[in-house]
Amino acid sequence: MMTNYRPPKRWLYPIGKLSKLAATIALAAFAYIPSSAKAETYINNRTCPADFPSLSKALAKDLPDYLNRVYSRLRIKREVMTISQPELEPLPLAPDQASDRLPQQIFLSILERQTGKTATSQRAYWLFVVPTSNGWRLAIAFMRIGQAPPVDVSDAAIADATNKWLRDYCDPRYQR
């Protein structure tokens, strides 16, 4: 009966030498990557769109990915299929208040499905965003399914995804 069997040292030496060789090759390969490949990536070049219509279009374009990541992190078994182009025609909120002091409004329609299922559902979102000294931020969000009354979803996944996008693109503290 063999206990505490150890292979001879000569078997271990080549493996250690190979791993050192592999590390050296990997380091040398990285050092000789052409400068064009080291250029800043899209993620490092994110900038906040200058005008509100451009901001809303960029948000709608990227929101499916952000929302799907939030769903995954929260273990919500849902996935976004597509998001409509944003509608920016604001609904009247306060007739006596100057329009430049009101939040900007974005209306989006999102087509989703349960993960692994084929049946889809459509949700309508009404997002209120306001400019701050640190870029834009979400003030409040509402969701509506079918003919049901709107529900405040300011603490839901859509708000988290929107806030993360606004942070990544419009908060100067996160720009590189």
Side-chain angles (χ1 to χ4, degrees):
M1 181 170 165
M2 296 180 80
T3 58
N4 298 333
Y5 173 74
R6 297 179 64 179
K9 284 188 177 184
R10 62 190 155 124
W11 289 0
L12 297 176
Y13 181 71
I15 293 172
K17 197 172 194 179
L18 285 176
S19 63
K20 287 180 185 176
L21 179 63
T24 304
I25 291 171
L27 185 60
F30 180 74
Y32 293 107
I33 293 176
S35 61
S36 62
K38 294 180 186 177
E40 287 193 34
T41 63
Y42 170 75
I43 220 87
N44 294 334
N45 280 330
R46 295 182 291 202
T47 58
C48 190
D51 60 301
F52 186 70
S54 298
L55 175 102
S56 62
K57 285 181 184 176
L59 172 66
K61 178 181 165 277
D62 293 340
L63 200 54
D65 292 333
Y66 276 78
L67 193 51
N68 283 332
R69 283 193 296 271
V70 170
Y71 284 162
S72 178
R73 183 175 46 84
L74 296 175
R75 294 190 173 109
I76 297 173
K77 302 252 186 258
R78 215 170 35 218
E79 58 187 321
V80 175
M81 306 302 295
T82 187
I83 292 185
S84 69
Q85 287 297 313
E87 295 179 30
L88 304 177
E89 185 64 36
L91 293 177
L93 297 176
D96 59 336
Q97 191 169 8
S99 62
D100 62 334
R101 299 200 45 155
L102 293 174
Q104 297 288 328
Q105 301 174 35
I106 304 172
F107 298 93
L108 298 169
S109 181
I110 298 179
L111 187 65
E112 299 178 320
R113 69 176 179 194
Q114 291 287 73
T115 303
K117 306 285 184 183
T118 57
T120 59
S121 64
Q122 188 171 1
R123 299 168 187 247
Y125 290 96
W126 188 12
L127 309 174
F128 293 84
V129 294
V130 294
T132 68
S133 60
N134 291 321
W136 292 88
R137 78 171 183 83
L138 182 69
I140 194 167
F142 291 99
M143 175 188 70
R144 185 173 185 180
I145 301 175
Q147 298 301 316
V151 177
D152 184 354
V153 290
S154 299
D155 292 328
I158 187 74
D160 191 20
T162 302
N163 280 324
K164 282 183 177 21
W165 187 90
L166 291 170
R167 177 203 64 197
D168 290 349
Y169 282 83
C170 296
D171 191 333
R173 297 174 295 182
Y174 291 89
Q175 301 301 311
R176 293 182 188 218

